[in-house]
Amino acid sequence: MNYIRLITTSVAIFIVALLWNGLIHAVVLQDANAALVNVARPAAERNMGLALLLTAGLAFLFVWSYAYTAQHGTLREGIAHGLFFAVLAGFLVNLNQYILYPLPASLVMKWFVSGLVEFCIYGILASWLYPIKRITAHSDERY
């Protein structure tokens, strides 16, 4: 495992995550997210430090799992890894919130689709910034 690439790629994905989520939630879905005003914590009471830590942790976990699961480091593998994460997050977060809270299905679907695009972007970045190279044909060690 190349720790410099791991950290560099995680930081890049963290930055993209902040930009992407700002664009999606504050601009594109701003009106649709208004449906949450009665169930969400008021903005002044949200823990921004914890939200940033969660985003950084997710970026790190994404890159770490990519580094361990990608066989060749291709763009296709990166996108497939992104799709896997997107579907997992969609079930764990979006569907769960739809079940628990009175949210419009259309909003949850918009979150899911934006998540699919977001995680595919992460996969593209991971395949580009963390290339997988094997030392020998029989070795599982990567650098």
Side-chain angles (χ1 to χ4, degrees), residues 17-50:
L18 295 179
L19 295 172
W20 178 264
N21 285 295
L23 173 69
I24 294 299
H25 295 290
V27 178
V28 175
L29 296 179
Q30 181 180 18
D31 293 337
N33 283 334
L36 300 175
V37 76
N38 293 326
V39 294
R41 186 182 308 275
E45 295 179 20
R46 295 178 192 164
N47 187 332
M48 190 56 83
L50 187 57

PDB file of all heavy atoms in Angstrom, residues 17-50:
ATOM      1  N   ALA A  17     -15.787  15.960  -2.855  1.00  0.00           N
ATOM      2  CA  ALA A  17     -17.018  15.698  -2.100  1.00  0.00           C
ATOM      3  C   ALA A  17     -17.617  16.994  -1.567  1.00  0.00           C
ATOM      4  O   ALA A  17     -18.831  17.204  -1.647  1.00  0.00           O
ATOM      5  CB  ALA A  17     -16.742  14.729  -0.950  1.00  0.00           C
ATOM      6  N   LEU A  18     -16.775  17.858  -1.023  1.00  0.00           N
ATOM      7  CA  LEU A  18     -17.276  19.135  -0.501  1.00  0.00           C
ATOM      8  C   LEU A  18     -17.870  19.980  -1.617  1.00  0.00           C
ATOM      9  O   LEU A  18     -18.964  20.549  -1.471  1.00  0.00           O
ATOM     10  CB  LEU A  18     -16.157  19.898   0.215  1.00  0.00           C
ATOM     11  CG  LEU A  18     -15.610  19.255   1.480  1.00  0.00           C
ATOM     12  CD1 LEU A  18     -14.486  20.114   2.056  1.00  0.00           C
ATOM     13  CD2 LEU A  18     -16.701  19.036   2.514  1.00  0.00           C
ATOM     14  N   LEU A  19     -17.157  20.058  -2.734  1.00  0.00           N
ATOM     15  CA  LEU A  19     -17.642  20.853  -3.862  1.00  0.00           C
ATOM     16  C   LEU A  19     -18.920  20.259  -4.443  1.00  0.00           C
ATOM     17  O   LEU A  19     -19.887  20.975  -4.728  1.00  0.00           O
ATOM     18  CB  LEU A  19     -16.559  20.962  -4.939  1.00  0.00           C
ATOM     19  CG  LEU A  19     -15.297  21.729  -4.545  1.00  0.00           C
ATOM     20  CD1 LEU A  19     -14.231  21.585  -5.619  1.00  0.00           C
ATOM     21  CD2 LEU A  19     -15.625  23.192  -4.280  1.00  0.00           C
ATOM     22  N   TRP A  20     -18.919  18.949  -4.645  1.00  0.00           N
ATOM     23  CA  TRP A  20     -20.083  18.273  -5.222  1.00  0.00           C
ATOM     24  C   TRP A  20     -21.316  18.439  -4.332  1.00  0.00           C
ATOM     25  O   TRP A  20     -22.394  18.800  -4.806  1.00  0.00           O
ATOM     26  CB  TRP A  20     -19.784  16.790  -5.432  1.00  0.00           C
ATOM     27  CG  TRP A  20     -20.960  16.035  -5.972  1.00  0.00           C
ATOM     28  CD1 TRP A  20     -21.874  15.306  -5.271  1.00  0.00           C
ATOM     29  CD2 TRP A  20     -21.377  15.966  -7.338  1.00  0.00           C
ATOM     30  NE1 TRP A  20     -22.811  14.778  -6.118  1.00  0.00           N
ATOM     31  CE2 TRP A  20     -22.529  15.171  -7.394  1.00  0.00           C
ATOM     32  CE3 TRP A  20     -20.865  16.496  -8.524  1.00  0.00           C
ATOM     33  CZ2 TRP A  20     -23.189  14.893  -8.577  1.00  0.00           C
ATOM     34  CZ3 TRP A  20     -21.523  16.215  -9.707  1.00  0.00           C
ATOM     35  CH2 TRP A  20     -22.672  15.428  -9.728  1.00  0.00           C
ATOM     36  N   ASN A  21     -21.166  18.171  -3.044  1.00  0.00           N
ATOM     37  CA  ASN A  21     -22.316  18.265  -2.139  1.00  0.00           C
ATOM     38  C   ASN A  21     -22.799  19.695  -1.975  1.00  0.00           C
ATOM     39  O   ASN A  21     -23.998  19.933  -1.840  1.00  0.00           O
ATOM     40  CB  ASN A  21     -22.003  17.612  -0.796  1.00  0.00           C
ATOM     41  CG  ASN A  21     -22.037  16.109  -0.922  1.00  0.00           C
ATOM     42  OD1 ASN A  21     -23.072  15.522  -1.185  1.00  0.00           O
ATOM     43  ND2 ASN A  21     -20.891  15.469  -0.774  1.00  0.00           N
ATOM     44  N   GLY A  22     -21.881  20.651  -2.011  1.00  0.00           N
ATOM     45  CA  GLY A  22     -22.296  22.055  -1.996  1.00  0.00           C
ATOM     46  C   GLY A  22     -23.119  22.386  -3.226  1.00  0.00           C
ATOM     47  O   GLY A  22     -24.171  23.029  -3.132  1.00  0.00           O
ATOM     48  N   LEU A  23     -22.652  21.954  -4.385  1.00  0.00           N
ATOM     49  CA  LEU A  23     -23.378  22.205  -5.633  1.00  0.00           C
ATOM     50  C   LEU A  23     -24.743  21.528  -5.622  1.00  0.00           C
ATOM     51  O   LEU A  23     -25.765  22.153  -5.922  1.00  0.00           O
ATOM     52  CB  LEU A  23     -22.551  21.710  -6.832  1.00  0.00           C
ATOM     53  CG  LEU A  23     -23.257  21.758  -8.189  1.00  0.00           C
ATOM     54  CD1 LEU A  23     -23.458  23.198  -8.629  1.00  0.00           C
ATOM     55  CD2 LEU A  23     -22.462  20.982  -9.230  1.00  0.00           C
ATOM     56  N   ILE A  24     -24.776  20.267  -5.268  1.00  0.00           N
ATOM     57  CA  ILE A  24     -26.029  19.506  -5.322  1.00  0.00           C
ATOM     58  C   ILE A  24     -27.037  20.003  -4.294  1.00  0.00           C
ATOM     59  O   ILE A  24     -28.187  20.291  -4.623  1.00  0.00           O
ATOM     60  CB  ILE A  24     -25.765  17.989  -5.136  1.00  0.00           C
ATOM     61  CG1 ILE A  24     -24.977  17.444  -6.322  1.00  0.00           C
ATOM     62  CG2 ILE A  24     -27.060  17.213  -4.934  1.00  0.00           C
ATOM     63  CD1 ILE A  24     -25.674  17.574  -7.668  1.00  0.00           C
ATOM     64  N   HIS A  25     -26.622  20.127  -3.044  1.00  0.00           N
ATOM     65  CA  HIS A  25     -27.585  20.436  -1.985  1.00  0.00           C
ATOM     66  C   HIS A  25     -27.882  21.925  -1.836  1.00  0.00           C
ATOM     67  O   HIS A  25     -29.004  22.289  -1.478  1.00  0.00           O
ATOM     68  CB  HIS A  25     -27.123  19.832  -0.661  1.00  0.00           C
ATOM     69  CG  HIS A  25     -27.109  18.337  -0.699  1.00  0.00           C
ATOM     70  ND1 HIS A  25     -28.248  17.576  -0.742  1.00  0.00           N
ATOM     71  CD2 HIS A  25     -26.078  17.460  -0.759  1.00  0.00           C
ATOM     72  CE1 HIS A  25     -27.934  16.298  -0.803  1.00  0.00           C
ATOM     73  NE2 HIS A  25     -26.618  16.196  -0.809  1.00  0.00           N
ATOM     74  N   ALA A  26     -26.913  22.780  -2.108  1.00  0.00           N
ATOM     75  CA  ALA A  26     -27.145  24.211  -1.934  1.00  0.00           C
ATOM     76  C   ALA A  26     -27.635  24.901  -3.204  1.00  0.00           C
ATOM     77  O   ALA A  26     -28.187  25.992  -3.131  1.00  0.00           O
ATOM     78  CB  ALA A  26     -25.865  24.895  -1.449  1.00  0.00           C
ATOM     79  N   VAL A  27     -27.443  24.256  -4.358  1.00  0.00           N
ATOM     80  CA  VAL A  27     -27.843  24.892  -5.615  1.00  0.00           C
ATOM     81  C   VAL A  27     -28.893  24.054  -6.345  1.00  0.00           C
ATOM     82  O   VAL A  27     -30.047  24.460  -6.466  1.00  0.00           O
ATOM     83  CB  VAL A  27     -26.619  25.154  -6.529  1.00  0.00           C
ATOM     84  CG1 VAL A  27     -27.042  25.769  -7.845  1.00  0.00           C
ATOM     85  CG2 VAL A  27     -25.593  26.039  -5.823  1.00  0.00           C
ATOM     86  N   VAL A  28     -28.493  22.874  -6.812  1.00  0.00           N
ATOM     87  CA  VAL A  28     -29.368  22.063  -7.668  1.00  0.00           C
ATOM     88  C   VAL A  28     -30.631  21.609  -6.932  1.00  0.00           C
ATOM     89  O   VAL A  28     -31.739  21.729  -7.457  1.00  0.00           O
ATOM     90  CB  VAL A  28     -28.598  20.842  -8.239  1.00  0.00           C
ATOM     91  CG1 VAL A  28     -29.516  19.936  -9.029  1.00  0.00           C
ATOM     92  CG2 VAL A  28     -27.425  21.313  -9.083  1.00  0.00           C
ATOM     93  N   LEU A  29     -30.483  21.078  -5.736  1.00  0.00           N
ATOM     94  CA  LEU A  29     -31.638  20.551  -4.988  1.00  0.00           C
ATOM     95  C   LEU A  29     -32.098  21.469  -3.864  1.00  0.00           C
ATOM     96  O   LEU A  29     -32.802  21.025  -2.960  1.00  0.00           O
ATOM     97  CB  LEU A  29     -31.307  19.166  -4.423  1.00  0.00           C
ATOM     98  CG  LEU A  29     -31.051  18.064  -5.444  1.00  0.00           C
ATOM     99  CD1 LEU A  29     -30.704  16.756  -4.742  1.00  0.00           C
ATOM    100  CD2 LEU A  29     -32.245  17.879  -6.358  1.00  0.00           C
ATOM    101  N   GLN A  30     -31.735  22.723  -3.918  1.00  0.00           N
ATOM    102  CA  GLN A  30     -32.083  23.652  -2.838  1.00  0.00           C
ATOM    103  C   GLN A  30     -33.594  23.675  -2.589  1.00  0.00           C
ATOM    104  O   GLN A  30     -34.036  23.566  -1.442  1.00  0.00           O
ATOM    105  CB  GLN A  30     -31.584  25.056  -3.164  1.00  0.00           C
ATOM    106  CG  GLN A  30     -31.890  26.064  -2.076  1.00  0.00           C
ATOM    107  CD  GLN A  30     -31.390  27.454  -2.435  1.00  0.00           C
ATOM    108  OE1 GLN A  30     -31.121  27.746  -3.582  1.00  0.00           O
ATOM    109  NE2 GLN A  30     -31.277  28.306  -1.442  1.00  0.00           N
ATOM    110  N   ASP A  31     -34.379  23.808  -3.634  1.00  0.00           N
ATOM    111  CA  ASP A  31     -35.839  23.857  -3.458  1.00  0.00           C
ATOM    112  C   ASP A  31     -36.386  22.506  -3.011  1.00  0.00           C
ATOM    113  O   ASP A  31     -37.265  22.448  -2.150  1.00  0.00           O
ATOM    114  CB  ASP A  31     -36.510  24.296  -4.761  1.00  0.00           C
ATOM    115  CG  ASP A  31     -36.184  25.740  -5.114  1.00  0.00           C
ATOM    116  OD1 ASP A  31     -35.836  26.517  -4.197  1.00  0.00           O
ATOM    117  OD2 ASP A  31     -36.273  26.088  -6.309  1.00  0.00           O
ATOM    118  N   ALA A  32     -35.877  21.429  -3.586  1.00  0.00           N
ATOM    119  CA  ALA A  32     -36.356  20.094  -3.223  1.00  0.00           C
ATOM    120  C   ALA A  32     -36.011  19.765  -1.772  1.00  0.00           C
ATOM    121  O   ALA A  32     -36.800  19.141  -1.064  1.00  0.00           O
ATOM    122  CB  ALA A  32     -35.765  19.047  -4.161  1.00  0.00           C
ATOM    123  N   ASN A  33     -34.843  20.200  -1.320  1.00  0.00           N
ATOM    124  CA  ASN A  33     -34.432  19.937   0.061  1.00  0.00           C
ATOM    125  C   ASN A  33     -35.252  20.725   1.076  1.00  0.00           C
ATOM    126  O   ASN A  33     -35.175  20.463   2.274  1.00  0.00           O
ATOM    127  CB  ASN A  33     -32.942  20.228   0.248  1.00  0.00           C
ATOM    128  CG  ASN A  33     -32.066  19.132  -0.310  1.00  0.00           C
ATOM    129  OD1 ASN A  33     -32.469  17.989  -0.414  1.00  0.00           O
ATOM    130  ND2 ASN A  33     -30.842  19.485  -0.666  1.00  0.00           N
ATOM    131  N   ALA A  34     -36.045  21.673   0.605  1.00  0.00           N
ATOM    132  CA  ALA A  34     -36.918  22.429   1.502  1.00  0.00           C
ATOM    133  C   ALA A  34     -37.915  21.507   2.191  1.00  0.00           C
ATOM    134  O   ALA A  34     -38.446  21.841   3.255  1.00  0.00           O
ATOM    135  CB  ALA A  34     -37.642  23.531   0.731  1.00  0.00           C
ATOM    136  N   ALA A  35     -38.158  20.326   1.633  1.00  0.00           N
ATOM    137  CA  ALA A  35     -39.059  19.353   2.246  1.00  0.00           C
ATOM    138  C   ALA A  35     -38.540  18.878   3.605  1.00  0.00           C
ATOM    139  O   ALA A  35     -39.292  18.327   4.398  1.00  0.00           O
ATOM    140  CB  ALA A  35     -39.257  18.158   1.322  1.00  0.00           C
ATOM    141  N   LEU A  36     -37.270  19.117   3.880  1.00  0.00           N
ATOM    142  CA  LEU A  36     -36.662  18.652   5.130  1.00  0.00           C
ATOM    143  C   LEU A  36     -36.776  19.648   6.271  1.00  0.00           C
ATOM    144  O   LEU A  36     -36.400  19.337   7.401  1.00  0.00           O
ATOM    145  CB  LEU A  36     -35.174  18.356   4.900  1.00  0.00           C
ATOM    146  CG  LEU A  36     -34.850  17.309   3.862  1.00  0.00           C
ATOM    147  CD1 LEU A  36     -33.344  17.218   3.670  1.00  0.00           C
ATOM    148  CD2 LEU A  36     -35.415  15.976   4.275  1.00  0.00           C
ATOM    149  N   VAL A  37     -37.253  20.841   5.991  1.00  0.00           N
ATOM    150  CA  VAL A  37     -37.217  21.912   6.989  1.00  0.00           C
ATOM    151  C   VAL A  37     -37.920  21.525   8.297  1.00  0.00           C
ATOM    152  O   VAL A  37     -37.492  21.936   9.369  1.00  0.00           O
ATOM    153  CB  VAL A  37     -37.782  23.232   6.403  1.00  0.00           C
ATOM    154  CG1 VAL A  37     -39.297  23.215   6.310  1.00  0.00           C
ATOM    155  CG2 VAL A  37     -37.300  24.417   7.199  1.00  0.00           C
ATOM    156  N   ASN A  38     -38.944  20.685   8.228  1.00  0.00           N
ATOM    157  CA  ASN A  38     -39.670  20.306   9.445  1.00  0.00           C
ATOM    158  C   ASN A  38     -39.069  19.113  10.174  1.00  0.00           C
ATOM    159  O   ASN A  38     -39.430  18.862  11.322  1.00  0.00           O
ATOM    160  CB  ASN A  38     -41.140  20.007   9.103  1.00  0.00           C
ATOM    161  CG  ASN A  38     -41.864  21.249   8.661  1.00  0.00           C
ATOM    162  OD1 ASN A  38     -41.597  22.345   9.141  1.00  0.00           O
ATOM    163  ND2 ASN A  38     -42.778  21.090   7.716  1.00  0.00           N
ATOM    164  N   VAL A  39     -38.171  18.377   9.527  1.00  0.00           N
ATOM    165  CA  VAL A  39     -37.596  17.194  10.173  1.00  0.00           C
ATOM    166  C   VAL A  39     -36.095  17.318  10.427  1.00  0.00           C
ATOM    167  O   VAL A  39     -35.546  16.553  11.202  1.00  0.00           O
ATOM    168  CB  VAL A  39     -37.869  15.910   9.359  1.00  0.00           C
ATOM    169  CG1 VAL A  39     -39.337  15.590   9.329  1.00  0.00           C
ATOM    170  CG2 VAL A  39     -37.298  16.001   7.974  1.00  0.00           C
ATOM    171  N   ALA A  40     -35.441  18.275   9.792  1.00  0.00           N
ATOM    172  CA  ALA A  40     -33.987  18.416   9.926  1.00  0.00           C
ATOM    173  C   ALA A  40     -33.627  19.299  11.121  1.00  0.00           C
ATOM    174  O   ALA A  40     -34.400  20.164  11.541  1.00  0.00           O
ATOM    175  CB  ALA A  40     -33.397  19.011   8.650  1.00  0.00           C
ATOM    176  N   ARG A  41     -32.445  19.078  11.623  1.00  0.00           N
ATOM    177  CA  ARG A  41     -31.891  19.923  12.677  1.00  0.00           C
ATOM    178  C   ARG A  41     -31.649  21.313  12.082  1.00  0.00           C
ATOM    179  O   ARG A  41     -31.155  21.408  10.955  1.00  0.00           O
ATOM    180  CB  ARG A  41     -30.582  19.306  13.152  1.00  0.00           C
ATOM    181  CG  ARG A  41     -29.932  19.969  14.330  1.00  0.00           C
ATOM    182  CD  ARG A  41     -28.607  19.298  14.684  1.00  0.00           C
ATOM    183  NE  ARG A  41     -28.688  17.858  14.850  1.00  0.00           N
ATOM    184  CZ  ARG A  41     -29.041  17.256  15.987  1.00  0.00           C
ATOM    185  NH1 ARG A  41     -29.333  17.967  17.042  1.00  0.00           N
ATOM    186  NH2 ARG A  41     -29.086  15.938  16.061  1.00  0.00           N
ATOM    187  N   PRO A  42     -31.955  22.372  12.790  1.00  0.00           N
ATOM    188  CA  PRO A  42     -31.687  23.717  12.265  1.00  0.00           C
ATOM    189  C   PRO A  42     -30.196  23.898  11.956  1.00  0.00           C
ATOM    190  O   PRO A  42     -29.335  23.334  12.638  1.00  0.00           O
ATOM    191  CB  PRO A  42     -32.112  24.644  13.409  1.00  0.00           C
ATOM    192  CG  PRO A  42     -33.059  23.838  14.238  1.00  0.00           C
ATOM    193  CD  PRO A  42     -32.618  22.401  14.092  1.00  0.00           C
ATOM    194  N   ALA A  43     -29.890  24.670  10.932  1.00  0.00           N
ATOM    195  CA  ALA A  43     -28.506  24.850  10.474  1.00  0.00           C
ATOM    196  C   ALA A  43     -27.578  25.278  11.606  1.00  0.00           C
ATOM    197  O   ALA A  43     -26.431  24.831  11.674  1.00  0.00           O
ATOM    198  CB  ALA A  43     -28.466  25.851   9.327  1.00  0.00           C
ATOM    199  N   ALA A  44     -28.044  26.123  12.496  1.00  0.00           N
ATOM    200  CA  ALA A  44     -27.207  26.621  13.586  1.00  0.00           C
ATOM    201  C   ALA A  44     -26.830  25.520  14.580  1.00  0.00           C
ATOM    202  O   ALA A  44     -25.850  25.641  15.299  1.00  0.00           O
ATOM    203  CB  ALA A  44     -27.919  27.752  14.322  1.00  0.00           C
ATOM    204  N   GLU A  45     -27.598  24.442  14.610  1.00  0.00           N
ATOM    205  CA  GLU A  45     -27.346  23.361  15.560  1.00  0.00           C
ATOM    206  C   GLU A  45     -26.576  22.191  14.949  1.00  0.00           C
ATOM    207  O   GLU A  45     -26.297  21.204  15.623  1.00  0.00           O
ATOM    208  CB  GLU A  45     -28.668  22.845  16.117  1.00  0.00           C
ATOM    209  CG  GLU A  45     -29.419  23.865  16.952  1.00  0.00           C
ATOM    210  CD  GLU A  45     -30.742  23.322  17.458  1.00  0.00           C
ATOM    211  OE1 GLU A  45     -30.917  22.082  17.491  1.00  0.00           O
ATOM    212  OE2 GLU A  45     -31.594  24.133  17.819  1.00  0.00           O
ATOM    213  N   ARG A  46     -26.220  22.273  13.679  1.00  0.00           N
ATOM    214  CA  ARG A  46     -25.502  21.184  13.026  1.00  0.00           C
ATOM    215  C   ARG A  46     -24.016  21.238  13.369  1.00  0.00           C
ATOM    216  O   ARG A  46     -23.436  22.306  13.449  1.00  0.00           O
ATOM    217  CB  ARG A  46     -25.691  21.256  11.514  1.00  0.00           C
ATOM    218  CG  ARG A  46     -27.129  21.040  11.120  1.00  0.00           C
ATOM    219  CD  ARG A  46     -27.328  21.153   9.647  1.00  0.00           C
ATOM    220  NE  ARG A  46     -28.765  21.211   9.379  1.00  0.00           N
ATOM    221  CZ  ARG A  46     -29.281  21.617   8.246  1.00  0.00           C
ATOM    222  NH1 ARG A  46     -28.502  22.013   7.259  1.00  0.00           N
ATOM    223  NH2 ARG A  46     -30.576  21.632   8.084  1.00  0.00           N
ATOM    224  N   ASN A  47     -23.420  20.086  13.559  1.00  0.00           N
ATOM    225  CA  ASN A  47     -22.014  19.986  13.927  1.00  0.00           C
ATOM    226  C   ASN A  47     -21.175  19.880  12.650  1.00  0.00           C
ATOM    227  O   ASN A  47     -20.993  18.785  12.100  1.00  0.00           O
ATOM    228  CB  ASN A  47     -21.808  18.774  14.824  1.00  0.00           C
ATOM    229  CG  ASN A  47     -20.427  18.703  15.390  1.00  0.00           C
ATOM    230  OD1 ASN A  47     -19.464  19.199  14.799  1.00  0.00           O
ATOM    231  ND2 ASN A  47     -20.300  18.081  16.544  1.00  0.00           N
ATOM    232  N   MET A  48     -20.671  21.015  12.177  1.00  0.00           N
ATOM    233  CA  MET A  48     -19.913  21.052  10.932  1.00  0.00           C
ATOM    234  C   MET A  48     -18.608  20.267  11.041  1.00  0.00           C
ATOM    235  O   MET A  48     -18.196  19.603  10.091  1.00  0.00           O
ATOM    236  CB  MET A  48     -19.635  22.496  10.510  1.00  0.00           C
ATOM    237  CG  MET A  48     -19.059  22.594   9.113  1.00  0.00           C
ATOM    238  SD  MET A  48     -20.080  21.816   7.848  1.00  0.00           S
ATOM    239  CE  MET A  48     -21.237  23.100   7.544  1.00  0.00           C
ATOM    240  N   GLY A  49     -17.966  20.308  12.190  1.00  0.00           N
ATOM    241  CA  GLY A  49     -16.729  19.553  12.385  1.00  0.00           C
ATOM    242  C   GLY A  49     -16.964  18.056  12.223  1.00  0.00           C
ATOM    243  O   GLY A  49     -16.179  17.362  11.569  1.00  0.00           O
ATOM    244  N   LEU A  50     -18.046  17.563  12.793  1.00  0.00           N
ATOM    245  CA  LEU A  50     -18.378  16.148  12.671  1.00  0.00           C
ATOM    246  C   LEU A  50     -18.728  15.807  11.221  1.00  0.00           C
ATOM    247  O   LEU A  50     -18.342  14.741  10.721  1.00  0.00           O
ATOM    248  CB  LEU A  50     -19.532  15.796  13.603  1.00  0.00           C
ATOM    249  CG  LEU A  50     -19.908  14.327  13.721  1.00  0.00           C
ATOM    250  CD1 LEU A  50     -18.718  13.493  14.156  1.00  0.00           C
ATOM    251  CD2 LEU A  50     -21.067  14.172  14.696  1.00  0.00           C
TER     252      LEU A  50
END
